[in-house]
Amino acid sequence: MPFLSSLKTRLRQNRSVQQSRKELLFDLDAAAIRLQEAVRYFDAVSDEALVVSAIHELESASARYRALLKQARELQLSRPFWEAQIMARELSDWEWEE
């Protein structure tokens, strides 16, 4: 029965990979929402201390989103083209200092 054992192992691994991909897509969606919220918060605050806080939140959210995008690219995951265009348009309004 080595064949059945091998088949079961591959099915488990495949399910694990599929679950990891779903989790990554969920995390990517959550990170995109967090980034959009950080942009809105930055636009809304005017107090100097809150602006500094908003900038840190924006940088943090952006870094997380970029890291998750990198992971998605490595797994060759993709989103529909229109979703990527919407996010790119929203982010293009900001100039990021590296």
Side-chain angles (χ1 to χ4, degrees):
M1 296 290 181
F3 174 75
L4 287 179
S5 177
S6 173
L7 183 60
K8 286 179 184 179
T9 301
R10 287 198 306 201
L11 284 173
R12 270 190 241 117
Q13 288 172 344
N14 188 31
R15 285 186 192 136
S16 177
V17 168
Q18 291 298 329
Q19 184 64 29
S20 296
R21 288 176 177 218
K22 286 180 184 179
E23 289 172 5
L24 178 58
L25 290 175
F26 178 82
D27 290 346
L28 194 55
D29 287 341
I33 291 167
R34 180 176 169 218
L35 181 57
Q36 290 169 347
E37 289 172 351
V39 169
R40 285 189 204 106
Y41 180 66
F42 178 80
D43 288 339
V45 297
S46 58
D47 180 63
E48 185 176 336
L50 293 177
V51 169
V52 170
S53 171
I55 289 169
H56 289 296
E57 178 63 27
L58 199 51
E59 290 173 346
S60 172
S62 175
R64 173 135 173 89
Y65 186 71
R66 285 193 309 259
L68 290 170
L69 280 177
K70 182 180 178 185
Q71 286 180 15
R73 271 189 237 111
E74 289 170 358
L75 290 175
Q76 298 178 340
L77 294 178
S78 62
R79 285 288 196 196
F81 179 75
W82 63 269
E83 286 185 34
Q85 290 300 309
I86 290 170
M87 196 61 180
R89 193 173 327 119
E90 290 174 0
L91 293 176
S92 68
D93 294 338
W94 295 96
E95 292 184 20
W96 305 103
E97 293 182 15
E98 298 288 330

